[in-house]
Amino acid sequence: MTSSSSPQYSPQEVEARWQDYWEVHQTFIVQDGESSGRPKFYCLEMFPYPSGRIHMGHVRNYTIGDAVARFKRMRGFHVLHPMGWDAFGLPAENAAIKNGVHPARWTADNIAYMRAQLKKMGLSYDWKREVATCRPDYYRWNQWFFLKMFERGLAYRKEAAVNWCPACATVLANEQVVEERCWRCDSTVTQRYLAQWFFRITDYAEALLADCDRLTGWPERVLTMQKNWIGKSRGVEVTFPFVDRPGGLTIFTTRPDTLFGVTFMSLAPAHPAIETLIAGRREADAVRAFVDRVTARDKTVATTLRQEKEGCFTGAHVLHPITREPVPVWVANFVLMEYGAGAVMGVPAHDARDFEFAKKYDLAIRQVIDPGRPVTDAAHTEPVGRLIDSGAFTGMEAIAAQSAITDALVAAGSGKVRVHYRLRDWGISRQRYWGTPIPILYCAQCGVVPVPEHDLPVILPDRVPLSGQGGSPLLQVSDFLNAHCPRCAGPAQRETDTMDTFVDSSWYFLRYTTPTEQNAPVNAATAASWLPVDQYIGGIEHAVLHLLYARFFTKVARDLGLVKIDEPFVNLLTQGMVIKDGAKMSKSKGNVVDPDTLIQTYGADTARVFSLFAAPPEKDLEWSEEGVVGARRFLQRVWRRVSEVPPAATPRATIDFSNASEAVRALRRKTHQTIRKVTEDLEGFRLNTAVAALMEYHNVLSTFTAATDHRQASAAEAEGLDMLVILLAPFAPHLSESLWEMRGHPPSVFDVPWPSYDPALTEEVEVQVAVQVNGKLRQTFSAAADATEATLRERALAAVARWIADKPVQRVIVVKGRLVNIVV
Ligand code: ANZ
Ligand code: ZN
C-alpha cells in the first residue's frame, strides 16, 4: 500500500486501485439478515435498459444514488444497493432485424460493456445481486405472477386494438408509430382487433388512489400525475328508454344538474347498441359507413381528442327520463367506448364539446343554468348559478340540484350513482420476440389452458426468424408453437405473444432482496427484512406507468402473501435531465457527451463531483466543460493539501482545546459546522450545497497554517483534514480512500463511522458584547460566542480606551458572551 503516497494526483491509477480493492475485499457485498442491530436502508436507482453504452443521464442518476448509499452505510445503516438490467425489449429485436445479431447476444454484449462502465464509475453496488430480466431464472417468475393472476381472475383475455402497418403486415408498438405512420415504411398506420391479455389493474384503482395519501416521501407532482392517471370521478348512470323498441340507453354523466338541457345523445362508434338501433332504418348504411371511417382513424385517445368532432344521426330516439320528450341519438367520434358507459347525454349549453357538435349539426341548445350573466357564444361549463327551465328543480343552485336530480333519478329507477376511473386495464400482450412468453396453451378440446406451475419456465426459443414482417415471431417457430395440452394431452398451441416489458420492471426491486431464490419470486422472510425500498431514484418519465405498475404488483404480491408491504417505495427522488446547449442531451440532437471520454480524461471522481455539484438533484443539469475542469481542480487541490501535511502524531482525544487560540477555535468551529452542514444536506438531498460546503471548508483549511510545534494547532488541522477526507468520501470515493491512507489510517474509509459534530462548536459564532464603563454603556463589539474571558477582557479594554484614558482600572467584570463592565 504505497503507490498512493505519490504527490501527483492521478485519478486513473487511484480509481483502478480502489475499484480493485473494493472488489477483492467485497466491501459492498451485503449479507442478509445480519443481526448486528444496524437498521436497514434499501437504496435503489432505476435499472437501465442495456442499450449499449451508459449516457450522462445514467451517470447522474447512479451518482446521486451512490452518494446516498455510501453516506448511509457510513452512518451505520445496513445498506442494500443493487443493480441489474431491464434486458427485454424492442431495440434488441430491431438490432437483430437490421444487423443480424441475435437479441440475446446483442443484449449480453451490451450488459458486459455497460457493467464495466458502471464499475469504472466506482458505484458501490452489491454485484452479487445483479439481475437481468431476459434470463429464464428471472422471467419464469413473470410467468408465475401471470399464472397466479390468471387463477384469481386478474389476468384475462379480450379483443383490443393494436397498431397495424398494412404494408409491412405487422403489428407496431406505440413507439414504432411516428406521427401516425410506420417507422420503417412510412405507411399510414391502421387499427386491428386482436385477442390480447390484460391485467386487471382496475381492481386496484381505489387502493392505488387512496394510498397516494400515504406516499409522503414522493414529490407532489408525481402524486398528482398518478392521481390524474387513475382519474376517479363520481357521477350518475342514467338510462333513457328507447322510443320504439325495448330497453334503453345508459349514459354516464358527472353533471346531472344539466339533465333538462339534454338535446341529443351521442354514442361511441364501437357502442354495441348501434346495430340494434339502426336495424331496419334508412340511416343504417350511412351510420355503418361513418363507423367504419372513424374507427379506421381512431387509434389512440390522444388523436381522438385532437380530431374535429364528427357525428352521424342514427334515426333513433330515446325518451328523456323525466320530461318524456324524445331525444335524437347520434354516433360521435369524440365518445370513447372505454370510458363510463360509452355513451353521453349531449348538453350543448353547458359542455364545450357538445356545443361545438350542436353548432356543426344545427342541434338545439337549451340553457338550464343561469350564471347571472349573459351567455352568448360558448357553453357555460361550470356548475355555478341557479337552474332554469328544469321542472321541479328550477331555482335550485346547480350543486344542490346535482344531488336532488340524482335522488329523483334513483327513486324513479332510471339512475344509479356510479364512480368511474379513467384507469384502464393493463394490456400486456406484445407481438414481439424479445420478451417473456405468456404461459398459456390453446387446446381444441379444453380451450384456454394455463401452463402448470411445475412446467415453468416456458423458455423463449433461441432460433427465431426475425424479419419485422407479420405477427408474433414465435408463430414461426413450430417447436415452440406446437405442444401438448396439460389437461387432455391432445395437441395444443402455445400463446405466441410475449409480455410487455413493464411487467419485468414491476417487481425487480423485490427480486434483488433474494436474487437466487429458486422456489418463489422472493423468499418472503428475507424480503421482509429489506422491504420497502427506502429511497428510489429515477427519471420523471416514469412518473406514471412504471411507478403505477410497480405499486400494483406490490399490492398483488402482498395479496399473494409474498410481501408484507402495501407500497414499494417510501421516498422517491426524480432527478432532472442533463442539458447541453439548451437541449436535452440525446443522440438525435447530436449533443451527447460520452461518459467514457469524461472518465478517461478527468476521472470518475471528477465526473461524480461535477454532476453532483452543478445542480440540485431534482433540477436540470447544464453540461459545462468548465464545470468539469473546476471539479477536477478542486480534487487536485484537496489531494495536494492532504499530501503536504504529515499525518498527525497526537491522537485528537488527548488534546485539550479549552485555552486554544482564536485561530484554532475558528478552525474547529468551521470543522464542526461543516460536518453538520454536509450531514444535513445529504439527509435532505441537497448534494450540490454539500459539495459547495466542502469546497469552502477546503479553502479555510488551506489558509490555516499550523506552527509544527504547536500541538493544539496541528491537532485541529489534523482533525480538519481527516474530516474533509471522510466527508468527501460519498462524493469522490476513490480519492478519499487514497487520502485516508495518506493520512495514516488503514483502509477503507467506508468502514469509518460518519463523524458526529459537537453542537456547542456549531453554535452561533458571533455575539455582540456590550462594554460598560462605570455602569454606562460606551461601546459594543462582536466576538466569537465561545471567546474566553481573557480575550473578552482584553478586547473590551481596547474598545473603551479613550473613556478610561489614564484612570486606573479597579475591576473588570466579564459576563461571557454578553457584557464587560469596567470600573475605573
Ligand atoms: C353531460 C354533461 C353536461 C357532461 C355538462 C359534462 C358537462 P369526467 O369528469 O372526466 O369523468 N363523458 C362520459 N362518458 C364519456 C365517454 N365515454 N366519452 C366521452 N365523454 C364522456 O367526465 C365525465 C363527463 O364526460 C360526463 O358528463 C360526460 O359528459 C362525458 F354540462 O354528461 B357529461
Ligand atoms: Zn386439452
Side-chain angles (χ1 to χ4, degrees):
M1 298 276 179
T2 51
S3 62
S4 72
S5 57
S6 106
Q8 203 47 50
Y9 173 41
S10 157
Q12 284 70 19
E13 201 179 301
V14 167
E15 291 172 5
R17 173 166 171 237
W18 291 106
Q19 284 161 20
D20 246 39
Y21 177 94
W22 296 328
E23 186 143 349
V24 170
H25 291 79
Q26 308 210 334
T27 312
F28 300 109
I29 304 297
V30 61
Q31 305 303 327
D32 293 322
E34 210 174 82
S35 56
S36 54
R38 289 184 295 166
K40 67 94 185 178
F41 190 87
Y42 186 174
C43 182
L44 181 67
E45 298 108 58
M46 290 180 183
F47 67 167
Y49 178 76
S51 55
R53 312 173 72 83
I54 61 168
H55 54 65
M56 283 303 294
H58 294 130
V59 170
R60 185 170 193 208
N61 186 180
Y62 304 148
T63 305
I64 294 168
D66 195 57
V68 171
R70 287 177 183 267
F71 166 64
K72 289 289 180 181
R73 191 175 183 281
M74 294 170 85
R75 287 215 98 182
F77 286 88
H78 189 209
V79 174
L80 175 59
H81 189 214
M83 182 40 78
W85 310 97
D86 189 11
F88 271 140
L90 203 50
E93 210 163 322
N94 292 339
I97 295 167
K98 238 172 139 182
N99 312 321
V101 216
H102 193 280
R105 183 60 201 275
W106 185 85
T107 305
D109 288 352
N110 286 350
I111 289 177
Y113 190 84
M114 290 170 76
R115 188 195 295 114
Q117 285 187 301
L118 294 184
K119 287 192 173 175
K120 279 199 197 122
M121 296 242 347
L123 302 166
S124 60
Y125 296 126
D126 177 351
W127 284 106
K128 286 218 165 122
R129 291 172 188 263
E130 179 182 344
V131 302
T133 56
C134 64
R135 294 184 196 137
D137 67 349
Y138 185 87
Y139 70 67
R140 71 173 291 169
W141 302 113
N142 285 344
Q143 295 171 340
W144 183 91
F145 271 113
F146 181 96
L147 292 179
K148 295 292 168 192
M149 284 160 85
F150 181 76
E151 269 169 34
R152 285 163 176 73
L154 287 173
Y156 68 95
R157 205 161 91 110
K158 72 168 182 198
E159 291 260 316
V162 294
N163 302 309
W164 177 259
C165 172
C168 302
T170 192
V171 175
L172 299 177
N174 284 339
E175 51 281 28
Q176 293 174 320
V177 181
V178 183
E179 287 168 7
E180 324 213 343
R181 288 171 181 280
C182 172
W183 66 306
R184 296 178 72 207
C185 74
D186 222 32
S187 334
T188 303
V189 172
T190 61
Q191 229 182 7
R192 267 213 170 178
Y193 280 82
L194 292 178
Q196 318 243 321
W197 286 96
F198 285 83
F199 283 159
R200 213 181 289 280
I201 189 173
T202 51
D203 267 17
Y204 288 81
E206 187 55 42
L208 289 166
L209 184 70
D211 285 353
C212 281
D213 292 340
R214 293 160 58 180
L215 299 176
T216 51
W218 284 38
E220 201 47 52
R221 76 165 168 153
V222 175
L223 290 174
T224 305
M225 286 162 87
Q226 294 255 319
K227 287 181 196 161
N228 289 344
W229 191 262
I230 298 166
K232 179 176 184 171
S233 57
R234 268 173 258 269
V236 205
E237 256 177 24
V238 189
T239 302
F240 290 66
F242 293 133
V243 169
D244 54 358
R245 40 204 87 186
L249 188 65
T250 300
I251 59 97
F252 173 66
T253 180
T254 48
R255 294 292 306 279
D257 52 317
T258 65
L259 187 67
F260 289 81
V262 174
T263 57
F264 64 95
M265 308 293 278
S266 28
L267 307 185
H271 197 287
I274 293 177
E275 270 304 320
T276 329
L277 277 176
I278 60 175
R281 289 190 210 280
R282 64 184 161 77
E283 288 86 354
D285 287 342
V287 172
R288 286 191 195 108
F290 173 77
V291 168
D292 284 351
R293 188 162 61 78
V294 297
T295 31
R297 223 189 289 151
D298 167 33
K299 272 182 308 296
T300 61
V301 178
T303 55
T304 312
L305 294 179
R306 253 191 281 115
Q307 267 164 20
E308 199 201 339
K309 314 223 165 354
E310 278 189 89
C312 182
F313 179 47
T314 61
H317 287 79
V318 292
L319 293 178
H320 189 282
I322 296 181
T323 67
R324 296 275 143 187
E325 270 176 58
V327 182
V329 181
W330 287 63
V331 179
N333 67 342
F334 62 86
V335 183
L336 311 170
M337 194 55 226
E338 293 77 30
Y339 189 67
V344 183
M345 65 182 203
V347 186
H350 302 288
D351 180 273
R353 284 174 305 188
D354 294 346
F355 184 82
E356 199 186 319
F357 194 78
K359 282 276 175 192
K360 179 164 176 178
Y361 294 105
D362 205 18
L363 300 164
I365 299 175
R366 188 180 300 158
Q367 190 183 337
V368 289
I369 301 172
D370 179 9
R373 57 177 165 77
V375 182
T376 46
D377 216 41
H380 163 50
T381 57
E382 301 304 313
V384 177
R386 288 183 188 280
L387 263 56
I388 50 177
D389 293 331
S390 296
F393 306 95
T394 302
M396 272 190 165
E397 280 294 338
I399 293 291
Q402 291 187 342
S403 23
I405 292 179
T406 302
D407 292 347
L409 288 169
V410 172
S414 40
K416 276 196 198 111
V417 177
R418 284 292 304 262
V419 169
H420 277 288
Y421 298 90
R422 200 165 294 282
L423 183 66
R424 302 275 64 103
D425 278 339
W426 173 11
I428 60 146
S429 293
R430 295 292 179 274
Q431 295 70 40
R432 312 263 130 230
Y433 164 62
W434 195 233
T436 305
I438 294 173
I440 286 287
L441 291 155
Y442 301 97
C443 167
Q445 298 299 315
C446 314
V448 176
V449 181
V451 173
E453 213 178 301
H454 58 80
D455 284 350
L456 296 186
V458 176
I459 295 277
L460 188 65
D462 220 20
R463 269 170 225 256
V464 176
L466 293 171
S467 61
Q469 310 273 308
S472 300
L474 292 178
L475 209 51
Q476 314 295 317
V477 187
S478 55
D479 284 359
F480 175 83
L481 183 65
N482 297 311
H484 291 286
C485 172
R487 294 214 178 124
C488 70
Q493 294 206 323
R494 286 191 191 280
E495 169 65 62
T496 54
D497 285 352
T498 54
M499 292 185 201
D500 179 3
T501 56
F502 271 120
V503 175
D504 313 347
S505 53
S506 291
W507 67 280
Y508 76 108
F509 49 91
L510 303 180
R511 186 69 182 168
Y512 282 143
T513 63
T514 55
T516 56
E517 172 62 40
Q518 302 277 315
N519 304 309
V522 293
N523 172 298
T526 310
S529 73
W530 284 120
L531 294 169
V533 173
D534 295 283
Q535 183 65 55
Y536 197 27
I537 307 163
I540 188 75
E541 66 274 20
H542 294 299
V544 179
L545 294 183
H546 162 61
L547 290 171
L548 193 67
Y549 294 152
R551 295 180 60 212
F552 166 58
F553 253 71
T554 301
K555 291 177 192 305
V556 171
R558 174 201 60 197
D559 295 346
L560 293 171
L562 287 175
V563 301
K564 295 190 172 69
I565 51 169
D566 299 317
E567 285 289 335
F569 313 122
V570 179
N571 295 295
L572 173 70
L573 180 113
T574 48
Q575 97 264 1
M577 294 186 298
V578 181
I579 304 277
K580 190 171 174 245
D581 312 323
K584 179 180 174 168
M585 238 186 221
S586 75
K587 257 193 215 149
S588 60
K589 298 236 167 51
N591 61 352
V592 176
V593 173
D594 183 9
D596 272 356
T597 322
L598 181 63
I599 292 171
Q600 270 157 32
T601 319
Y602 297 99
D605 282 337
T606 293
R608 295 171 57 117
V609 168
F610 163 73
S611 61
L612 296 175
F613 175 61
E618 63 285 352
K619 293 274 158 53
D620 288 349
L621 182 155
E622 176 83 43
W623 167 264
S624 128
E625 189 83 30
E626 300 92 88
V628 176
V629 171
R632 168 63 193 258
R633 202 176 301 131
F634 165 58
L635 297 181
Q636 182 101 45
R637 288 206 188 112
V638 174
W639 178 279
R640 199 181 315 129
R641 182 72 196 156
V642 173
S643 55
E644 276 164 11
V645 180
T650 326
R652 195 158 60 249
T654 66
I655 299 283
D656 174 12
F657 287 105
S658 61
N659 62 346
S661 71
E662 187 48 38
V664 167
R665 279 162 186 281
L667 177 61
R668 295 202 68 229
R669 209 154 43 226
K670 190 73 193 170
T671 302
H672 286 259
Q673 282 165 349
T674 306
I675 298 172
R676 174 174 170 173
K677 168 106 180 109
V678 173
T679 308
E680 290 175 355
D681 281 356
L682 271 162
E683 287 289 359
F685 270 102
R686 294 178 298 272
L687 305 183
N688 56 321
T689 56
V691 176
L694 288 168
M695 290 175 170
E696 187 190 319
Y697 181 54
H698 165 255
N699 285 338
V700 171
L701 265 175
S702 303
T703 50
F704 183 86
T705 34
T708 41
D709 57 344
H710 195 294
R711 278 185 5 123
Q712 283 168 332
S714 44
E717 184 178 41
E719 175 189 46
L721 289 170
D722 280 357
M723 290 307 136
L724 177 64
V725 171
I726 296 175
L727 299 180
L728 195 57
F731 307 95
H734 313 87
L735 172 101
S736 300
E737 288 277 32
S738 281
L739 297 183
W740 188 242
E741 194 182 45
M742 239 187 254
R743 297 280 314 138
H745 307 292
S748 151
V749 69
F750 295 99
D751 293 333
V752 176
W754 189 256
S756 48
Y757 54 86
D758 178 350
L761 284 179
T762 64
E763 295 288 286
E764 191 39 59
V765 199
E766 302 274 85
V767 287
Q768 291 299 310
V769 180
V771 189
Q772 296 178 339
V773 180
N774 291 344
K776 222 180 184 165
L777 179 67
R778 290 299 186 189
Q779 268 294 17
T780 56
F781 65 89
S782 55
D786 63 342
T788 59
E789 235 181 272
T791 310
L792 291 178
R793 177 195 173 103
E794 201 177 302
R795 291 197 52 195
L797 285 170
V800 293
R802 67 192 175 93
W803 283 277
I804 304 174
D806 45 11
K807 296 171 203 124
V809 174
Q810 299 189 332
R811 228 157 27 108
V812 179
I813 304 142
V814 179
V815 184
K816 261 182 88 173
R818 289 225 333 258
L819 177 85
V820 182
N821 195 4
I822 301 166
V823 183
V824 294

